Amino acid sequence: MKEYRNLSLLSDFYEFTMANAYFNNGMKDTTAIFDAYYRKNPDGAGFSIFAGLNDIISYVKNLSFSDEDIEYFRENSDFSEGFLEYLRNFKFTGDIWAFPEGSVMFPNEPIVTVKAPIIECSILETYLLLSMNFNSLVATKTNRIVRAAGNRLVMEFGARRAQGADASINGARAAYIGGAPITSNTYSAKKYNFKAGGTMAHSWIQAFPSEYEAFKTYAKAYPNNCILLIDTYDTLHSGLPNAMRVFREELVPKGISGGVRIDSGDLAYLSKEIRKILDENGFTDAKIVASNSLDEFKIESLLSQGARIDSFGIGERLITAKSDPVFGGVYKLVGIEVDGNIQAKIKVSENVEKITTPGEKRVYRLYDKKTGKAEADYIALDNEIVDDSKPMVIFDPLFTWKMKRMEDYTARKMQVKVFEAGKLIYENPSLDEIATYSKAEVASLWDEVKRFDQPHNYYVDLSQELWNLKQNLILEAKRK
């Protein structure tokens, strides 16, 4: 839907009030650096998955203000005519670095960094955050559900429960990155070129004189994808017997296997009973699909009870990330041009987790060469050289006595440059490539980091030089 809309005004109004004041104060060309990051993983998780870069790129590429936009500001604000004329010719001219989409990420490390004139940085904030927050939330939630399901197929069925059309469309893409390769959302499947799936609703069965006739009609229409919804009237005593009758009449002669879906009731008990009855009647290849307000917690519980489910259709609890529906990404100033040089900036708070990490930085992921596993993330100032041919001691930035000596490791720079001087220089991978990369990213983590209950704390450490800078700026701020 976005391709038909100019979303440049999709910004908090205070971004424009600040921009107008910057302009009128002679700061139009003042370079600033902002980091986008987040403070806490949803659901008490050990990590999150970054998604939304595709939307950010599209937004930045198309950022401009129409005559109608200018007229709106003229009538609804007290912005100066000079600033309005500046907006008329506006385009992004700065640099952006970001983690590749699908990357594993951790709290308090810069995921997206913007270095540009401060007005441009300000105008980008709202859309950048909403894209990162929503898409990362859904990709992360989906990956949790997929991991809970093991090797069973997970399908995204959330279109009707999403909070708006854009959430449904973009959410299906984010779910694909997280590991759900099929969506019920036909628009998303076409737009992003992946598979749409789905069979029937209860209304299909109700529309026919009998359940048997509804099943038989459907099997004739779709013999190669015959998944019958069997809980409209009585799952075990009506739905399943009628489904097996239709399988014998329509599918067995063609050498085709069908399947059943259950959308209500005790899914653990019913799936075990259905599997037993199907097997006893020779339908050992028939699949059992389950839906009905599922998430990773319910799936874990079902499987621990021995549920015999082959695939899951996940709707509202995926597309809204219902158990923890807010991804708290923030966008903070970390440097600004003073007398031609970038001066590091810090925000100090009584809440330790809200103290920012100053300066222009880069994130490195440190991998053990023997295991290939990620051991820690290391944040260093942009001008520092991280030489992984030499041993390095890293330390916890809060509990500094906690140290680890890294040897025989590889340091990978996580952020890639996306825009340079306003020009897109990054070749965006295909959705399949992003999903494959994301799967490998998750595989690079130790199982202890991936567990749902009290995951191991993955370390995000600061270089000594960056840690010193942060402490000095905190002390300076306290003296003011």
Side-chain angles (χ1 to χ4, degrees):
M1 298 181 77
K2 290 178 184 170
E3 53 264 44
Y4 302 112
R5 294 178 293 171
N6 180 352
L7 297 176
S8 300
L9 288 187
L10 207 172
S11 181
D12 292 295
F13 190 66
Y14 76 179
E15 307 292 4
F16 292 110
T17 63
M18 290 189 295
N20 176 66
Y22 286 138
F23 181 89
N24 293 325
N25 198 45
M27 297 176 67
K28 175 175 70 72
D29 298 318
T30 298
T31 298
I33 304 172
F34 281 77
D35 286 339
Y37 61 97
Y38 70 105
R39 298 190 178 110
K40 181 176 72 72
N41 291 311
D43 289 310
F47 67 95
S48 295
I49 292 175
F50 174 52
L53 180 59
N54 183 66
D55 284 347
I56 294 169
I57 289 172
S58 178
Y59 175 78
V60 173
K61 281 175 58 180
N62 296 295
L63 192 55
S64 63
F65 297 93
S66 67
D67 291 341
E68 290 80 7
D69 296 337
I70 303 303
E71 193 57 33
Y72 169 81
F73 282 131
R74 182 173 285 116
E75 294 177 359
N76 293 277
S77 72
D78 54 0
F79 296 164
S80 70
E81 284 299 317
F83 175 64
L84 296 181
E85 195 59 32
Y86 163 81
L87 287 183
R88 190 184 303 278
N89 300 298
F90 184 90
K91 66 175 183 176
F92 181 72
T93 64
D95 301 335
I96 296 178
W97 293 262
F99 277 35
E101 201 166 16
S103 293
V104 162
M105 60 181 179
F106 301 94
N108 301 312
E109 57 186 14
I111 308 303
V112 182
T113 296
V114 180
K115 184 177 183 180
I118 193 165
I119 293 177
E120 298 177 25
C121 291
S122 298
I123 290 173
L124 260 60
E125 176 175 359
T126 303
Y127 194 88
L128 188 155
L129 282 178
L130 76 85
S131 296
M132 172 179 139
N133 284 336
F134 174 72
N135 289 285
S136 299
L137 181 69
V138 174
T140 301
K141 186 66 171 179
T142 303
N143 185 261
R144 288 172 61 82
I145 292 169
V146 167
R147 286 186 288 119
N151 59 358
R152 300 164 185 84
L153 174 67
V154 171
M155 298 168 283
E156 184 276 310
F157 280 5
R160 66 189 60 194
R161 299 290 170 80
Q163 286 145 333
D166 285 330
S168 172
I169 294 165
N170 292 339
R173 180 183 182 277
Y176 191 96
I177 292 171
I182 297 175
T183 180
S184 67
N185 188 322
T186 313
Y187 188 102
S188 291
K190 176 179 179 292
K191 178 179 175 67
Y192 297 117
N193 192 31
F194 64 103
K195 188 176 180 180
T199 56
M200 62 177 65
H202 294 102
S203 60
W204 170 269
I205 292 97
Q206 294 172 284
F208 288 82
S210 70
E211 188 176 52
Y212 164 72
E213 290 172 87
F215 288 171
K216 191 173 182 69
T217 302
Y218 196 89
K220 286 182 176 179
Y222 304 105
N224 294 308
N225 186 30
C226 186
I227 306 295
L228 303 176
L229 182 60
I230 62 174
D231 68 340
T232 303
Y233 302 118
D234 188 318
T235 300
L236 295 178
H237 299 103
S238 173
L240 184 57
N242 281 322
M244 291 191 297
R245 179 183 173 187
V246 168
F247 292 164
R248 290 190 191 96
E249 293 172 355
E250 297 296 330
L251 304 187
V252 171
K254 299 181 177 72
I256 299 171
S257 296
V260 297
R261 178 164 73 95
I262 45 177
D263 188 54
S264 61
D266 187 329
L267 298 182
Y269 167 76
L270 288 173
S271 67
K272 287 186 283 188
E273 289 297 305
I274 291 167
R275 183 76 274 158
K276 177 183 175 183
I277 295 168
L278 286 171
D279 290 351
E280 289 173 348
N281 284 271
F283 299 109
T284 56
D285 292 333
K287 303 298 183 184
I288 301 174
V289 182
S291 52
N292 188 25
S293 297
L294 299 174
D295 60 15
E296 70 271 36
F297 305 110
K298 287 192 174 185
I299 289 172
E300 266 198 330
S301 176
L302 286 170
L303 297 180
S304 72
Q305 297 171 63
R308 301 296 301 276
I309 298 169
D310 298 295
S311 60
F312 297 93
I314 316 293
E316 63 189 49
R317 291 175 181 265
L318 182 156
I319 204 70
T320 66
K322 184 177 180 180
S323 57
D324 198 352
V326 178
F327 197 89
V330 295
Y331 183 80
K332 298 299 181 182
L333 177 73
V334 296
I336 193 163
E337 182 183 356
V338 177
D339 297 328
N341 297 307
I342 297 295
Q343 183 180 98
K345 288 288 184 177
I346 193 169
K347 173 185 178 290
V348 179
S349 171
E350 294 299 321
N351 297 329
V352 173
E353 68 274 11
K354 289 193 173 184
I355 298 176
T356 60
T357 301
E360 186 170 1
K361 305 171 291 294
R362 296 294 173 256
V363 180
Y364 296 83
R365 186 151 297 159
L366 309 181
Y367 297 89
D368 185 288
K369 284 186 176 179
K370 293 177 182 177
T371 65
K373 297 294 186 181
E375 295 290 332
D377 280 13
Y378 181 76
I379 309 176
L381 290 167
D382 182 56
N383 59 6
E384 291 188 76
I385 297 173
V386 177
D387 185 355
D388 56 13
S389 68
K390 299 176 181 178
M392 177 170 61
V393 175
I394 59 176
F395 60 92
D396 187 294
L398 292 179
F399 308 104
T400 54
W401 62 90
K402 294 184 178 181
M403 299 182 181
K404 181 174 183 176
R405 182 177 173 86
M406 297 295 300
E407 295 179 322
D408 198 25
Y409 67 98
T410 300
R412 171 192 168 206
K413 187 180 284 190
M414 289 302 297
Q415 287 184 321
V416 296
K417 200 165 192 180
V418 181
F419 284 88
E420 185 174 287
K423 182 180 178 181
L424 177 64
I425 62 170
Y426 177 66
E427 186 173 342
N428 216 15
S430 70
L431 188 56
D432 278 339
E433 290 170 331
I434 294 170
T436 299
Y437 164 74
S438 190
K439 186 175 181 180
E441 280 279 279
V442 175
S444 74
L445 300 177
W446 290 103
D447 289 343
E448 291 82 357
V449 177
K450 293 186 282 188
R451 66 189 176 214
F452 296 150
D453 187 29
Q454 296 183 325
H456 175 73
N457 181 45
Y458 182 93
Y459 293 105
V460 176
D461 297 336
L462 309 183
S463 71
Q464 184 70 61
E465 189 173 339
L466 177 55
W467 188 87
N468 290 342
L469 173 65
K470 185 172 183 176
Q471 301 310 307
N472 290 336
L473 289 179
I474 291 173
L475 291 175
E476 284 182 22
K478 288 300 183 181
R479 286 194 292 262
K480 291 180 180 179

